[in-house]
Structure formats: C-alpha cells, structure tokens
Amino acid sequence: MCRSDPPDADGDRTADAAFAALLEDSADELYESAPCGYLSTLMDGTIAKINATLLDWLGLEPEAVVGRMRFTDLLTVGGKLYHETHFAPLLQMQGRISGIALELKRTGGGRMPVLVSSAVKHSSSGEPLLIRTTIFDARERRAYEEELLRGRKAAEEARRQAEADRTRLQDALAVLQRSLLPDILPSVPGLETAAHYHTASPDRLGGDFYDLFPIDGKRFAFFLGDVCGKGPQAAAVTSLTRYTLRAAAVHDTDPVAALSTLNKVLHERYTGSGDPRHCTAVFGTLEPDPATGEIAVHLASGGHPPVLILRADGTADYLPTPGGLLVGVLPDAHFSTATTVLAPGDTLLLYTDGLTEARIDEDRTLYGEESLLAFATEHAGRPPDALIHALTGLLDSFGDGLDDDTALLALGIPAHDSPLENGR
C-alpha cells in the first residue's frame, strides 16, 4: 500500500511558499525601506550612508547628503547645541547612547521630532571606525506628549482656580463666622474676660456661639451654646438665637425666662418645616457687689454641658445643671438652674462639647469631662486669659481628633494681688 499526502497538503505547501517569499527581502531592501531612519557617519560626523526612509523624512536626495553633510547639519539649532554639549561627549565616553529626543530639519523649514540612538563601530584593534545611528519618528509621541502637557496645564489651572475659589470661600465664611460672634467682649467692672472660637473646618460655618452684654445699670448677661448642624442653615439659627437671647434679656433678666423665649421662637419657627432645629445653651446673669468684690451668678441650662468653677484656692468643680432639655425641641421645655458666687481669684468657664468630645487616640476615645476637670484643676487660680491660652494649646494638641467647632468663654474676678485689682 502506498502512502498518500493528507487532503490539505497542497494547501499547506502553498501557504509555506507564500510565507517563504515574504522572507526573501534583500538586506539592502530591509535597510532602505525600514520603518526607521538609518545612517552611518565617519567619526567627524560626515554622513557616509543613509537610507531611503530618512531621506524621505528630510525631503533630500542622497547625492546632496552623502559625503557632503554632517549629522549635525540635519538637526535644528537647538539639536546641534545639545549634540555638541551632551550627545557627542556621552557617545565618546560610553560608545553608545539611546533614546535621545532631537529634532530634524525638513526641506521647507519644517521640524520633525525624533528619537536617536547611536553606537560606535570599532576595528579589531579597538580603533573607532564609524558611528551607526538609528532614528525613530516621534511625531505621534510628541503629539501625545503635547496633548498630555496641555491636559496637565489645564488640570493645574483648574487646581489653581479651585484653590483660589476655596480661598475666597474660606475668607467669606471667616467674615460671616466673625459676624456671628462679638467683636470684643465688653468691659465689666471688677471682672476679667477671655474667649476663644476654634473652627474645626475653614470650609464650613460652625454653630457655636457666645456673648456678654449689659442688661441694666448694674447687671450683665452672658450665654454660650451650640446649634445642631453645620453650614448656612446652622448659621441662620445661630444669628436668630443670639438676637433672641439679647432681646429676651431686656424684657426679663431671669435666665429661665430667656431660654423659654428662645425655646418658643425656635420651636415655632422650625417645627413642621421639615428641617427641625434646636440648640444647647447656658444663659446667665452677673451681679457685681462693689462692697465685697464678689459677683453673684445666676444661670439656666438647656441640655448643655455643665460649666466649671475654678477657685482661687486651686480647686475646680462642675456646677451641676441636670435635667435641662434641648432648646427648641418641645413647646414647653424644662431648664435647669444653678447659682454661685465668684470671689477674687475665681473663674467661671463655659465651653461647647467640641472640647470634651475630641478624640485623643486611635481608638477614638473621648477626652471627656473627667479629663477636662483635671486640666481645669491644674489651672485653677489663673486669670481667664491664661486659662483660655492653656485651653487653646490643649485644643491644638488634639490635631485631627478635634472634628467639631469649640467655643470657650471664661469670666473671672482678679485675685487681690492682680494689676486689675490694684488699679494698675
């Protein structure tokens, strides 16, 4: 039995023959028609050989180039300078150099970006004979790089514009925030005062507030609180709260009456609006006694953290106001009351919960009222400005753990040996 070829053997032979034909390009054809430019130069740069691809890019004839031009004659002015100062010295030291971006001059004045790689050919004795150079068309790459550069410039411009817009917004918010707080605290006979407002984020309005103002010839009122929420809506409530409490104190100096008026205003204004608003607040009055130098304090609290009393003898404690309800939640709210007397060297400290609710570690542990009491005890007997300065440093120490606005208000009577007490 004779063996026969498979049915498709003729087709396979035809395909093999066609493939073999593709491999029959001559070395000259491969050189001349390569998808990149080739040239060989003498060591002084004189062009000894150049392929058709490169001549076509340049728009030149071989007789105008071979033996008549140097490699640098093909380059732009900038390319020539770079070749002399960088390309040629590196090639001489290393024997080869790769991927250098240059530009060729084209007939008619055009430019063509290219990537150039060169290698020195040596004789058997090590003498340099000529330089072989390969040139790749980088026009598409240049277009991509230029597009990328335009994109980067546009992104950078957008970033700068966004930063400028953010700065303008922050400046506007800072001005608005300051408008919600007193510019300066009024002078109260026999009393030292200090306040501080820490903004957790310059990009948003806070809802904390405080104030101190006269209500008649001998008494002063003060308040401090925290509106729920942030942003313009909270700022609107803050403004309403401040003006309501000030107006309420003129008609009735009783702290409970002032908070009750605010409660009624907030409840009527925001109940049923779909955006309920409320706040915590402490409202109090100060009644100095010129004969003793002491000041009687009467206050009411609506859901606010208890105030601290720092005594001249180095002790500190909270002034309890349990059971006070948030202001604005119910139509008829109960508010807790408390009284105390400040003597020379004593200070009353009011604060918002941004202080006690600061996170102090990776476990997000709250700073808390116990830690604040210990801190206050360490600073008892110090004047209000020194106390606020110490608390400002404490707030700064929390770093990113302080994620809420914090308002501080300290009211204290100078000690007997202080400059204010002695009239200096």
Side-chain angles (χ1 to χ4, degrees), residues 72-230:
T72 53
D73 294 330
L74 308 180
L75 303 176
T76 61
V77 174
K80 289 181 180 179
L81 180 62
Y82 186 86
H83 183 277
E84 297 300 327
T85 58
H86 293 79
F87 191 101
L90 286 173
L91 181 61
Q92 184 178 5
M93 289 187 295
Q94 300 174 1
R96 64 176 55 246
I97 190 169
S98 302
I100 303 301
L102 296 172
E103 285 187 329
L104 301 179
K105 294 187 301 183
R106 306 182 71 186
T107 300
R111 296 184 177 190
M112 179 177 175
V114 293
L115 293 176
V116 180
S117 297
S118 295
V120 178
K121 179 182 178 181
H122 295 84
S123 67
S124 58
S125 62
E127 292 295 323
L129 298 177
L130 55 84
I131 301 172
R132 289 172 173 167
T133 297
T134 304
I135 300 176
F136 292 93
D137 185 351
R139 283 175 290 187
E140 290 188 4
R141 172 173 171 168
R142 174 67 63 83
Y144 168 76
E145 290 175 343
E146 290 176 348
E147 183 63 28
L148 183 62
L149 181 60
R150 284 193 293 269
R152 287 178 177 174
K153 288 182 178 179
E156 179 64 22
E157 180 60 30
R159 184 189 64 79
R160 285 196 296 265
Q161 185 61 47
E163 288 182 351
D165 292 343
R166 183 185 180 191
T167 298
R168 285 193 292 269
L169 175 61
Q170 289 177 348
D171 291 342
L173 291 177
V175 171
L176 181 55
Q177 188 75 69
R178 288 194 297 270
S179 72
L180 300 175
L181 301 169
D183 292 332
I184 58 173
L185 296 176
S187 176
V188 179
L191 188 74
E192 290 181 333
T193 61
H196 176 70
Y197 191 97
H198 174 86
T199 301
S201 171
D203 297 321
R204 65 182 185 182
L205 288 170
D208 293 6
F209 57 89
Y210 64 85
D211 207 347
L212 172 66
F213 55 96
I215 50 178
D216 56 31
K218 61 179 181 178
R219 287 178 299 179
F220 288 77
F222 64 89
F223 58 78
L224 179 141
D226 184 1
V227 170
C228 69
K230 306 293 179 187

